[in-house]
Amino acid sequence: MSVQPLAPRLRGPRKRARPADLCAAEWIKFWSLRSTPTALVLLVSLALYLAANNSRHGVLPMAGSSGPLNPQRAAFDGFSWLPAMIGAGLIGAQAMVGEYSTGLIRTTLAAVPDRCRISVAKAAVVTAVTGGAALVIGAGGLALAVAIIHAPSPVDAHPMRAIWSSILLLPTCALAGMAFGTLVRHAAGSATVVCALFGFIPIMLRPTGNRWATDAANAMPYYAWGRLTGAGTGTMTVAVAWATLAAWAAASIVITILALDRRDV
Amino acid sequence: MNTHMRAGHVRFGDLVAAEWIKIRSLRSTFGLMVFGVLFAAVAAWWQGHHVRVAPGAAAAFNPLIYPYDQLTWAFITVLAATFGALTITGEYASGLIRTTFVAVPARRRVILAKSLVVALCMAVFGLIASLASLYIAGYALTGQLSGLSLGQGAALRAAILSAALPVLGSQIGIAIGALIRHPLSAIGATWGVLLLLPTMLASGTIGLGTATEGMPLSAWMTLARTASTGAHQSPLPPSTAAWILILAWPLASLIVTATTVTRRDV
Amino acid sequence: MIEIKELTKRFGAVTAVDDLTFTVQPGRVTGFLGPNGAGKSTTLRMILGLNAPTRGSAAVDGRPFREEGAGLRRVGALLDAGDVHRGRSARAHLTALARSNGIPRERVAAVLSEVGLQDAAGRRVGGFSLGMRQRLGIAAALLGDPPVLIFDEPINGLDPEGIVWARTLFRRLAAEGRTVFVSSHVMSEVEHSVDHLIVIGNGKLIADEPLEQFAARATRLSVRVRTHDPERLTAALTAQGGRVAAEDDRTLTVSGLTTLRIGEIAADQRITVYEVAAVSSALEAAFMESTAASVEFRAGRS
């Protein structure tokens, strides 16, 4: 049996890889493994459970803020989003580290030598998936909270800002995870960095206390996001908070692109 | 080849030696331990440095909360657990596990040897970190609080129990690594169970009040008297329960690891 | 066509590839031989842009491979059958690759049938045998219908039917005018399937010539001869420069003379011989002699 050559109109090499093709390929790769969709579902379920739980039992706010329980506070409680942040970071790391650890990166780069576009395509898919998860957790959590608390007016201030900032938060964590994965190239190492950065640092550093700790804490995505959701845990202005999240995302993408492009595989 | 091989039974000492060779050649082994000791030292100094005690009010303070700060030692426990998880997930991910179990089919003995080596490493690490914390915090607090030396009974007890914490954590990490063989997920789960879960239980985010007392760190806080008396006091287990917990966690982890690894296909 | 010019790669103090220059021409199957550790895989990786050369260049059809947009359509490569994610199905793996190059989905089914994996396409690659993973790698190389094909140890793990299939496939691809570059250690297979040879050792080029020419380098061939009259034959062969050792009372092992020469000598002396067979192939002997100085990993004598 002989393979038919490709139809003539498709022959001839392209100069540049098409972004749509690359994103579609990365999308197929993401969903064709059992582990990543399972992790995503677990993450979203856990976050929604915590939001519902917060609404039922009340939530102890972090030091530095106080107020009556309202649905927005319950749905966007900082600690309840920590698992989602870590999970998003791990998903982002897996997108790169998974290829390195199996050797698939060689197949991928031999098929598409344009490494810059591969990085961007992976970033796009991971952003879309975690952004979608953030939408479900944010909007869904808010709806659950409103339903459980029966508050007369659903939220205090800026509910849309809370949702939008959450949609920016999880992809930022995922992109940072991808950057660590590309730098470290080692599953356990990148996972440890992600957990330490997104799980431990928010608990350890608080933006109260001395100047150094405040500045360091405010630079963390956790506190920037907290400022935007109305939890009041960050002490910067709204504009700076948005900029912090955007800076993390942008820096992560740049690091990923450079790290993949410069090194031998 | 002319070497004469001894036929039959593998001695447990040989298994332990083999596991030690494998573990000491991991890059992360010494890296994690050095980092952990440095972190404990810096944290102890930081904690001691920022305390201002009015003379005469020293009696109201429990000096042990400074070298053995809850958050710092939670982090150290998690680092130790990460190390434990790594020793197992690394073997599964690289396929070395097959070589290991073909070389020594008695899986339970291999697991026992591995757990023992990890525990010994973590005991050394814990001891160094614990003593460093004690004396550095003591130095930072000179003139304000006293009681931070090994001569004092309470301090000695706290030091020993704190040295035991990483041992405990590492066994839990091994169990998680054996259950979840995927390295990224295993490490995520380790940090989740040992850091996030107790925090969330304590803050009431997850409403399983009694489970808070069951966490390893709660048991440690009771026995080592390192609980701070701040506003957000989470419930602590009574002494006997705490002793049982300190022993039960590593034992249960070992059983889980041995059962999982023996039952599963490799 | 693959053009290598002064290609050099150093890893710290180790020079893996040292000033290699050769060209792989289209229309024929070119073999890439060398002892373990000679630098074959490193060279192939540099051709594909996976490793950056310390010096020199590698170009495919005139352009460096890193500048390509759709790599599969220019070079189809099988480097390592294990470079796949074991959690994916074969079909998903190929579909993702095809999609990244804008190759239509139907092509995936076509290459799966070509390599014989159409029934196993939905199964996880983790459950595949080595031979199946090799076939999957060959399928991935064929996806883009490329003019240049590179195979590193393609028949490793294939069953005899698979080996014959692979040989026929490489010949057919070369006959279609493509450049086929195959690295292998199995001398008997190389003899049957390869036209031109490039041999390297210790990172340096040892030979770049047609197969027959390389095989003729062999000087220490040994031939097994069976005859009813061993003493007379021994004397005749020794007189003509051969070295003869008696295996048993009917069999001689002769070195230094080709089978043709031995047949002629026996005919001249009117001695009946009923078996004249080369014990080691000319190619294997030529390879061992040429690379003797470059062998990195020599197993110990015990």
Side-chain angles (χ1 to χ4, degrees):
Chain A
M1 186 190 290
S2 75
V3 193
Q4 300 306 312
L6 281 176
R9 68 185 167 87
L10 293 159
R11 271 187 158 275
R14 287 201 189 81
K15 272 287 156 193
R16 310 285 263 145
R18 279 212 309 239
D21 285 339
L22 293 183
C23 289
E26 290 300 327
W27 183 261
I28 295 173
K29 280 202 271 188
F30 186 92
W31 292 103
S32 59
L33 288 175
R34 278 183 312 208
S35 50
T36 13
T38 316
L40 200 64
V41 167
L42 280 176
L43 208 147
V44 172
S45 313
L46 179 63
L48 286 174
Y49 166 77
L50 289 173
N53 204 53
N54 287 341
S55 316
R56 259 193 288 269
H57 301 287
V59 59
L60 283 175
M62 290 188 67
S65 65
S66 63
L69 182 64
N70 68 57
Q72 187 167 328
R73 192 67 50 80
F76 293 100
D77 170 57
F79 273 9
S80 311
W81 279 71
L82 278 181
M85 289 174 66
I86 294 180
L90 291 179
I91 287 178
Q94 168 69 14
M96 270 301 184
V97 165
E99 291 221 12
Y100 275 108
S101 59
T102 54
L104 181 64
I105 190 74
R106 284 185 285 270
T107 311
T108 303
L109 292 181
V112 182
D114 195 336
R115 299 189 185 192
C116 189
R117 292 198 178 202
I118 292 265
S119 303
V120 171
K122 279 192 193 288
V125 167
V126 152
T127 301
V129 171
T130 48
L135 180 61
V136 170
I137 300 173
L142 198 57
L144 272 176
V146 167
I148 294 176
I149 297 179
H150 303 299
S153 73
V155 293
D156 53 3
H158 311 287
M160 287 317 295
R161 191 173 78 192
I163 296 184
W164 281 116
S165 61
S166 307
I167 296 179
L168 182 54
L169 173 75
L170 286 193
T172 301
C173 297
L175 290 171
M178 192 186 291
F180 296 135
T182 317
L183 282 173
V184 174
R185 293 192 286 192
H186 180 234
S190 26
T192 307
V193 175
V194 165
C195 289
L197 201 59
F198 295 132
F200 181 65
I201 303 266
I203 301 177
M204 185 182 82
L205 281 180
R206 312 261 167 98
T208 56
N210 68 35
R211 173 80 189 273
W212 178 89
T214 308
D215 287 341
N218 281 337
M220 290 290 129
Y222 178 78
Y223 288 104
W225 167 77
R227 177 74 183 85
L228 294 169
T229 59
T233 46
T235 58
M236 69 289 272
T237 64
V238 170
V240 171
W242 283 115
T244 309
L245 284 179
W248 270 87
S252 302
I253 298 183
V254 168
I255 291 176
T256 306
I257 293 177
L258 286 178
L260 186 64
D261 198 59
R262 291 284 162 84
R263 287 198 286 197
D264 284 347
V265 156
Chain B
M1 280 180 280
N2 291 332
T3 47
H4 293 288
M5 313 270 215
R6 201 174 41 235
H9 203 53
V10 178
R11 288 195 316 224
F12 190 67
D14 289 335
L15 283 180
V16 170
E19 289 300 327
W20 167 237
I21 293 172
K22 278 197 276 186
I23 285 177
R24 79 160 183 235
S25 53
L26 277 179
R27 270 181 305 188
S28 47
T29 304
F30 291 111
L32 269 177
M33 297 212 278
V34 166
F35 178 73
V37 168
L38 285 175
F39 187 86
V42 169
W45 178 83
W46 182 272
Q47 291 286 331
H49 187 71
H50 289 272
V51 175
R52 294 284 173 264
V53 180
F61 285 78
N62 174 12
L64 290 172
I65 64 172
Y66 299 107
Y68 300 118
D69 169 62
Q70 180 187 342
L71 204 55
T72 310
W73 283 84
F75 182 70
I76 290 177
T77 312
V78 169
L79 272 188
T82 305
F83 173 66
L86 263 178
T87 57
I88 284 258
T89 56
E91 286 219 24
Y92 273 104
S94 62
L96 178 63
I97 196 76
R98 284 187 283 271
T99 313
T100 304
F101 285 151
V102 166
V104 185
R107 296 187 189 185
R108 274 198 212 104
R109 300 183 85 215
V110 172
I111 293 297
L112 202 59
K114 196 189 278 290
S115 302
L116 187 62
V117 173
V118 168
L120 287 173
C121 282
M122 290 293 101
V124 170
F125 163 64
L127 209 57
I128 298 176
S130 172
L131 292 175
S133 298
L134 187 66
Y135 282 101
I136 290 178
Y139 172 75
L141 284 170
T142 38
Q144 302 196 65
L145 290 176
S146 65
L148 291 176
S149 73
L150 282 181
Q152 305 277 338
L156 179 65
R157 183 178 153 126
I160 294 178
L161 282 166
S162 304
L165 253 189
V167 176
L168 212 146
S170 64
Q171 302 302 308
I172 299 177
I174 295 180
I176 295 180
L179 283 171
I180 306 171
R181 293 177 284 186
H182 186 235
L184 278 174
S185 316
I187 299 212
T190 306
W191 283 69
V193 166
L194 284 177
L195 200 63
L196 287 187
L197 186 62
T199 313
M200 286 203 221
L201 286 172
S203 71
T205 311
I206 303 181
L208 293 166
T210 43
T212 320
E213 303 168 15
M215 289 287 122
L217 244 88
S218 305
W220 167 75
M221 280 197 280
T222 303
L223 295 175
R225 310 273 156 73
T226 54
S228 61
T229 49
H232 303 302
Q233 178 68 311
S234 48
L236 292 180
S239 281
T240 26
W243 279 115
I244 295 175
L245 281 169
I246 291 273
L247 293 169
W249 272 98
L251 206 58
S253 306
L254 197 58
I255 294 175
V256 166
T257 309
T259 322
T260 316
V261 168
T262 318
R263 286 279 165 86
R264 273 210 191 130
D265 285 347
V266 151
Chain C
M1 176 157 39
I2 303 172
E3 284 149 331
I4 313 271
K5 281 203 190 63
E6 289 164 25
L7 197 62
T8 308
K9 180 70 175 170
R10 267 187 278 279
F11 294 107
V14 176
T15 305
V17 177
D18 196 352
D19 211 22
L20 273 188
T21 303
F22 60 82
T23 303
V24 184
Q25 299 286 357
R28 63 189 185 192
V29 182
T30 307
F32 195 27
L33 304 187
N36 291 130
K40 297 192 298 299
S41 294
T42 312
T43 306
L44 296 178
R45 289 224 192 103
M46 285 195 278
I47 297 174
L48 290 169
L50 295 175
N51 286 3
T54 316
R55 235 188 50 224
S57 68
V60 174
D61 286 341
R63 281 202 305 285
F65 188 66
R66 278 278 298 250
E67 291 171 13
E68 296 299 339
L72 286 178
R73 289 171 185 254
R74 298 221 46 88
V75 180
L78 165 60
L79 286 186
D80 186 337
D83 286 349
V84 291
H85 201 303
R86 289 172 172 234
R88 278 197 191 100
S89 72
R91 188 179 287 119
H93 172 75
L94 290 177
T95 309
L97 279 176
R99 197 72 180 80
S100 69
N101 272 241
I103 295 171
R105 220 169 241 252
E106 300 75 44
R107 185 80 184 152
V108 170
V111 298
L112 280 171
S113 318
E114 168 72 25
V115 303
L117 283 178
Q118 66 274 23
D119 294 324
R123 282 169 38 193
R124 281 178 76 239
V125 173
F128 277 15
S129 66
L130 173 59
M132 291 165 83
R133 269 181 274 134
Q134 290 283 132
R135 288 169 189 261
L136 181 63
I138 295 177
L142 295 173
L143 258 183
D145 197 30
V148 175
L149 290 133
I150 297 179
F151 296 105
D152 195 354
E153 307 282 352
I155 64 171
N156 193 9
L158 289 181
D159 57 18
E161 188 258 329
I163 293 177
V164 171
W165 161 76
R167 185 196 309 161
T168 322
L169 175 69
F170 299 156
R171 285 236 166 267
R172 196 185 80 227
L173 292 169
E176 288 169 6
R178 304 176 208 253
T179 309
V180 181
F181 197 29
V182 179
S183 169
S184 183
H185 283 301
V186 186
M187 289 298 142
S188 51
E189 194 41 41
V190 169
E191 265 177 324
H192 285 120
S193 50
V194 159
D195 306 312
H196 192 92
L197 273 185
I198 293 175
V199 184
I200 66 175
N202 268 348
K204 296 192 191 39
L205 189 68
I206 291 179
D208 178 3
E209 54 204 28
L211 182 78
E212 298 78 27
Q213 199 175 321
F214 184 74
R217 289 194 188 195
T219 57
R220 290 198 286 274
L221 286 178
S222 70
V223 181
R224 185 175 57 236
V225 182
R226 277 201 233 268
T227 174
H228 286 297
D229 198 351
E231 294 90 22
R232 270 184 60 212
L233 187 57
T234 306
L237 292 174
T238 317
Q240 295 292 329
R243 288 175 299 284
V244 183
E247 299 291 323
D248 55 42
D249 58 349
R250 296 279 164 96
T251 312
L252 305 172
T253 302
V254 183
S255 43
L257 294 169
T258 61
T259 49
L260 180 64
R261 192 80 193 95
I262 293 172
E264 285 171 358
I265 295 168
D268 283 344
Q269 300 290 324
R270 305 193 73 78
I271 303 169
T272 312
V273 293
Y274 54 89
E275 180 179 339
V276 181
V279 170
S280 61
S281 78
L283 176 63
E284 181 181 306
F287 179 79
M288 302 289 258
E289 287 169 38
S290 313
T291 59
S294 323
V295 170
E296 291 229 13
F297 312 110
R298 207 184 285 274
R301 307 222 180 214
S302 51

